[in-house]
Structure formats: structure tokens, C-alpha cells
Amino acid sequence: LVISTIGEGPKTFNPCETKDATSSSMAGLMYDGLLMTDARTGEVVPLLAKGYDVNDNEYTIYLRKGLQWSDGKPITVDDVLYTYWEVVFKGLGNTATRDAMMIEGKLPKLYRIDDYTVKFVTSKPFAPFLRQLSYPIVPKHYFKPYSDKGDSAFNAFL
């Protein structure tokens, strides 16, 4: 893959901290969300997920089995929980995602069902919530040492 960029190139490879178009483009090639919006139909479709169920204010996501990070470690619900609990909900990186996920001033609750199933529960049904699940999932085993050091270490490490 060869990509031509104008200017200095990407400022970061941390998908949670992109503020320029080139960094966002690179992160989009390296990390995926649970779901995405199909550009042709406008429908929400699975990406890292193999499917999902919506029941009022409960959104159950089923991860694909066999997915791996580039280092060969499996992508599991632990990565999803880490991404949302430790990155998004704590406001690391760009806080806009956290703010957009608030419904009536409350963040959704997350529940680990098993290694490949996670449930988000919002304060009330909210149709646009599924589109929020396009946020890039990051590898817990790689990102956690930096998020444990706080905002400035997390935002600067990649």
C-alpha cells in the first residue's frame, strides 16, 4: 500500500487522538469499530462484530471469532471494554465521542457477557446510538500502559 500525502504526514497513529486528516486516514486503515455505516445504503452493518441485537435500550454486540491484532493476539470483548471504559468514557484522546454517547447526561453501561459478546445499556432507547459504535477499538494489551500514565502520556505515545 502506497499513500501519497501532502505536508508533514500523519501527526499520530493513535486513533483516539487524531486531529488532522492524514492521521485520521491512517488510523482508519489500521483500526476498525464494532459497526459501520454502509455508504451506499446508510444502514448500520457489522465490522468487527458479526452481528448485533437491539431491544429497547439494550444493544448486544457479537464479535467475530478469530480476529487478531497485528501481533497475533486475539481481539476480544476485553479490548472493547477497555476502549470504552478506559478511553472513551474517561475522555482520553478526543472527548467528542464521550460527549456524543451521553443520553440525558448519562453514559451507557457496559456488560461483558462472554469473550465475544458485550452489551451496552443506555438510559433510554436512542436510535443514533448504534452509529457511535463505529469508534475504533484499540488493543488493551498495547494501549493500557499508556492510559495508566494519564492523559498526556496516552495522547503522545504513538
Side-chain angles (χ1 to χ4, degrees):
L1 175 66
V2 176
I3 297 177
S4 175
T5 62
I6 298 175
E8 300 174 9
K11 310 279 186 279
T12 182
F13 289 103
N14 180 341
C16 310
E17 183 57 22
T18 60
K19 293 183 177 134
D20 63 283
T22 305
S23 297
S24 294
S25 294
M26 295 294 110
L29 295 171
M30 296 166 47
Y31 300 93
D32 286 322
L34 297 170
L35 307 173
M36 66 177 259
T37 301
D38 184 297
R40 283 185 233 129
T41 66
E43 296 293 318
V44 175
V45 295
L47 195 53
L48 291 178
K50 69 177 179 179
Y52 63 90
D53 291 322
V54 178
N55 185 11
D56 291 325
N57 64 327
E58 295 183 356
Y59 307 82
T60 305
I61 310 297
Y62 307 96
L63 284 178
R64 296 177 192 274
K65 293 181 180 176
L67 296 177
Q68 297 179 353
W69 296 109
S70 60
D71 61 6
K73 294 192 183 210
I75 299 174
T76 70
V77 164
D78 292 334
D79 297 306
V80 176
L81 296 174
Y82 168 77
T83 299
Y84 283 97
W85 277 335
E86 300 296 323
V87 177
V88 175
F89 294 173
K90 287 188 177 178
L92 293 179
N94 184 342
T95 60
T97 301
R98 177 196 62 199
D99 298 343
M101 292 192 89
M102 288 194 179
I103 301 167
E104 296 182 331
K106 297 176 188 170
L107 287 167
K109 296 190 186 296
L110 250 66
Y111 300 95
R112 181 186 203 283
I113 307 302
D114 59 39
D115 283 346
Y116 297 96
T117 311
V118 63
K119 183 182 289 188
F120 293 80
V121 180
T122 59
S123 59
K124 70 177 189 177
F126 188 65
F129 180 76
L130 279 177
R131 296 188 195 291
Q132 296 296 326
L133 302 182
S134 64
Y135 189 81
I137 302 303
V138 297
K140 177 183 177 181
H141 67 279
Y142 187 76
F143 278 60
K144 187 165 176 33
Y146 298 98
S147 64
D148 286 348
K149 294 178 184 174
D151 227 14
S152 59
F154 179 81
N155 293 343
F157 85 95
L158 279 176

